[in-house]
Amino acid sequence: MKLVLFLLLFSVPAFADPLLTSWFTSESTKYARVLTITDTSSTGRVTWTGQNSPVYAGVQEIAYDANYVYVRSYGLAGYVMGPWYNNAAHTNAFVNWPAARSNVWRFANSAAVAGTKQTTGLGAIGLYVNGVSMFDNTDGFVYSGGTEANQAGYWHRDAWVNEGATFDPGYAHQEQTGNYHYHAYPPALRYQLGDNVTISNGVYVEATGTLKHSPILAWVADGFPVYGPYGYSVSNNPNSTVRRIVSGFVPRNGQFGTDNLSANGTARSTIPAWAQRATGASANQAGPTVSAAYPFGRYLEDNDYLGDHGYVQGVDFDLNEWNARWCVTPEFPQGTWAYFCTLTSSNTPAFPYAIGRQFLGTPYTTTSTSIPAGTTNLFKGGPDTVETMKAISAATSDITLVWSSVEGGSYTIQASPDLTNSNNWSNIATNFIANAGTLTPVMETGGAANTKRFYRVARTGLATYWPTVNANAVINAGIASVTPTSVNRNNPVVLTITLDNSGGLIPPPTTVQPTAITLTRPGALSISPTNALNGSRNTTTGIITAYFNTISGTASTGVYTVTAAFGPNSWSITNGFTINP
């Protein structure tokens, strides 16, 4: 018999820029899932405390223009997250829950080593390729004046050492706002990417067989990649053996020329030279005496850099004080500066874990809530996925169709003996609900008995998911108000747009003029202002005036999103303006 598939295809750019191609998107059509400490099944649940609607996992959109790559993510991993405990004995539940967030990261497509280094700070300093936030190696607490608090000081608590008990098996947890993040290497993500990790009884372990070069795990705000723990033994030779990349840091335990802080009762009287460079501090900075309450290893400054003790990078160790090296990699055969997630010889996270206390380059990435207009889209996931037929097979008298599906989607599957009569399509299945996987099979019993057969699949519905937008809701994403809020077609209108100065998306200074003002809605043409008042901004008040000479009689009626763009960044208000008949 003759079988015909209808395939939906999309194009990709001709160049293979790792900043575009390294993102892990294969699970973006699946719901994020978590385990609680009382769950007995390993499949997880799709709603949890603070997350009342299912949310799609991982990276949801990738776009680019001449200067930047834009990545939108809900911040939740595609593997089953959790459970989280508050203690090493696993008897108490961790208080924080992950929460979905729709953030867009902007990465410049060029990176350079900075002459003056900037110290990493609290919050996300990069993005892992599965859309999960990258935090630095501190937990936010600093010892100073006899107390540990979120304060200024020179003895910074190590997140892996002090918070490790609260990490899930993927080595991630969330702070009080629900931002799920990694401080050290991510074993679950590495397993998904095939980075020399196996899984046994739900525990991720390092592979012991033939090693291969680690993939890119993350991108830091300065534009440099983060690789897994394994690279070429000779940094500039791709034909050299692959081995564990060695950190340049060691504990201050008296070995390798360091002073010895390892014994209880030892005074912490100085901070190491690398920390002096990172913070601008003098050497003599008293910390707490080593004790059961303040054990050795509690602080970043309980580690020292071998390069300050006569050892040589590239000979005695691999990575500099920023946890990076210049090297060739599979993605960069001509060489690049790259960070590495580091392991000890016993396969536990090695300080400084992913990135040192400072950025190697200048952190110039920014985040917003939307991808600006004018970019080229490379990928859309979740509810925006375009389904494709993947396979068709015949077994005895039956036909099995397999296509990429969106979790929560309902589908109609039809077959026809020819394409000459539109009435010849018959239903194989209706209201078919996709499963939790990214591929869905449906069988037509007896289908192979036909001499010729055509098939088509259509998504006919989608279950409620986060974020759910009511058709009449007004969602503030940087614009506080638009006046007026409606106009009839065939009439001119002057919009005054006030940006929101109170939220997290801070607008540019009032002297900065917008580069574009648009009215957009799904399925309709974008509408832009006309004449010289196209997006002028009062340099004192910051209020934008946009003149629309005539709202055409052909304009689609309904509610529109109003967007004010300033270069690659944009501020918007969803359903903030209505065009009436």
Side-chain angles (χ1 to χ4, degrees):
M1 68 174 296
K2 182 179 181 180
L3 303 173
V4 180
L5 295 177
F6 291 100
L7 299 180
L8 298 175
L9 304 177
F10 61 92
S11 61
V12 297
F15 57 92
D17 182 350
L19 186 53
L20 278 173
T21 60
S22 60
W23 300 97
F24 180 61
T25 60
S26 64
E27 295 190 327
S28 67
T29 56
K30 296 171 59 176
Y31 291 153
R33 284 172 161 77
V34 304
L35 286 175
T36 70
I37 64 173
T38 59
D39 284 332
T40 57
S41 170
S42 62
T43 57
R45 54 184 70 189
V46 299
T47 59
W48 56 87
T49 302
Q51 190 66 48
N52 298 323
S53 298
V55 54
Y56 291 100
V59 171
Q60 293 296 306
E61 190 171 3
I62 304 169
Y64 63 96
D65 56 26
N67 299 309
Y68 301 100
V69 171
Y70 304 86
V71 181
R72 180 168 62 87
S73 169
Y74 293 152
L76 302 174
Y79 57 81
V80 179
M81 300 171 288
W84 298 274
Y85 296 91
N86 205 43
N87 59 340
H90 288 183
T91 55
N92 299 324
F94 189 49
V95 66
N96 298 329
W97 289 91
R101 59 194 64 235
S102 185
N103 283 340
V104 173
W105 279 75
R106 185 187 74 169
F107 296 92
N109 58 15
S110 60
V113 174
T116 301
K117 303 296 190 292
Q118 296 186 35
T119 304
T120 60
L122 299 179
I125 63 168
L127 193 66
Y128 278 84
V129 295
N130 61 350
V132 173
S133 293
M134 175 184 184
F135 277 33
D136 74 0
N137 46 26
T138 70
D139 71 356
F141 283 81
V142 179
Y143 179 90
S144 181
T147 63
E148 288 182 335
N150 188 351
Q151 60 188 345
Y154 300 104
W155 293 89
H156 300 81
R157 283 201 336 200
D158 185 311
W160 168 256
V161 173
N162 293 278
E163 295 184 331
T166 68
F167 295 171
D168 66 7
Y171 284 2
H173 68 172
Q174 48 280 335
E175 30 80 298
Q176 63 274 17
T177 70
N179 191 350
Y180 185 74
H181 61 273
Y182 306 109
H183 288 280
Y185 79 86
L189 173 59
R190 290 182 53 214
Y191 175 75
Q192 291 178 312
L193 297 177
D195 183 23
N196 307 293
V197 171
T198 61
I199 187 169
S200 176
N201 297 321
V203 177
Y204 299 99
V205 295
E206 294 298 308
T208 57
T210 302
L211 297 174
K212 56 184 177 180
H213 196 289
S214 289
I216 294 173
L217 300 183
W219 291 89
V220 179
D222 59 9
F224 289 119
V226 181
Y227 280 86
Y230 302 98
Y232 299 126
S233 55
V234 180
S235 62
N236 62 354
N237 184 0
N239 296 315
S240 60
T241 59
V242 172
R243 60 165 172 79
R244 177 177 59 88
I245 299 301
V246 179
S247 165
F249 286 83
V250 293
R252 294 170 70 181
N253 60 6
Q255 299 184 58
F256 305 102
T258 71
D259 52 351
N260 191 352
L261 303 182
S262 61
N264 281 350
T266 303
R268 290 182 172 98
S269 57
T270 62
I271 61 171
W274 69 264
Q276 297 172 43
R277 292 189 290 270
T279 63
S282 60
N284 297 320
Q285 300 291 339
T289 298
V290 177
S291 64
Y294 301 99
F296 176 63
R298 186 177 182 84
Y299 302 99
L300 307 185
E301 293 77 16
D302 286 347
N303 299 279
D304 212 340
Y305 177 57
L306 288 173
D308 292 326
H309 294 278
Y311 293 89
V312 179
Q313 182 189 2
V315 177
D316 303 303
F317 57 93
D318 295 309
L319 304 175
N320 62 21
E321 62 187 283
W322 301 284
N323 220 40
R325 69 172 182 172
W326 175 267
C327 57
V328 297
T329 70
E331 293 80 10
F332 292 94
Q334 303 304 314
T336 183
W337 280 102
Y339 301 99
F340 284 78
C341 288
T342 41
L343 294 176
T344 67
S345 59
S346 57
N347 294 328
T348 59
F351 183 84
Y353 311 117
I355 175 176
R357 194 68 179 91
Q358 293 175 299
F359 295 99
L360 177 67
T362 301
Y364 41 60
T365 188
T366 59
T367 60
S368 65
T369 57
S370 61
I371 293 176
T375 58
T376 300
N377 184 267
L378 176 66
F379 168 81
K380 285 189 176 181
D384 298 316
T385 295
V386 177
E387 287 90 341
T388 58
M389 280 287 191
K390 295 295 184 182
I392 186 169
S393 61
T396 61
S397 63
D398 302 326
I399 295 294
T400 299
L401 307 173
V402 178
W403 73 95
S404 63
S405 59
V406 177
E407 186 168 4
S410 56
Y411 293 85
T412 293
I413 302 92
Q414 296 180 318
S416 174
D418 58 60
L419 297 179
T420 60
N421 187 340
S422 61
N423 294 323
N424 278 351
W425 291 98
S426 60
N427 292 335
I428 296 174
T430 59
N431 199 32
F432 182 88
I433 305 301
N435 59 25
T438 55
L439 297 177
T440 297
V442 162
M443 177 182 293
E444 183 190 22
T445 303
N450 298 282
T451 58
K452 182 172 62 175
R453 201 70 163 156
F454 298 86
Y455 295 93
R456 65 185 183 186
V457 176
R459 192 201 309 170
T460 55
L462 194 63
T464 300
Y465 64 93
W466 184 98
T468 302
V469 179
N470 182 293
N472 297 314
V474 176
I475 307 299
N476 185 335
I479 291 179
S481 64
V482 175
T483 305
T485 58
S486 66
V487 69
N488 295 333
R489 287 194 301 191
N490 295 317
N491 286 298
V493 64
V494 178
L495 296 186
T496 56
I497 301 169
T498 303
L499 300 181
D500 186 1
N501 289 283
S502 62
L505 191 63
I506 304 301
T510 58
T511 55
V512 177
Q513 294 296 315
T515 54
I517 305 294
T518 55
L519 304 177
T520 57
R521 71 186 302 263
L525 294 176
S526 176
I527 304 173
S528 299
T530 51
N531 84 13
L533 289 178
N534 181 355
S536 64
R537 191 178 184 207
N538 186 299
T539 57
T540 300
T541 64
I543 294 176
I544 299 168
T545 302
Y547 178 66
F548 293 80
N549 186 31
T550 301
I551 299 295
S552 169
T554 62
S556 175
T557 59
V559 291
Y560 280 72
T561 293
V562 182
T563 300
F566 295 80
N569 297 316
S570 60
W571 284 253
S572 63
I573 184 168
T574 303
N575 301 334
F577 186 76
T578 302
I579 296 179
N580 301 314

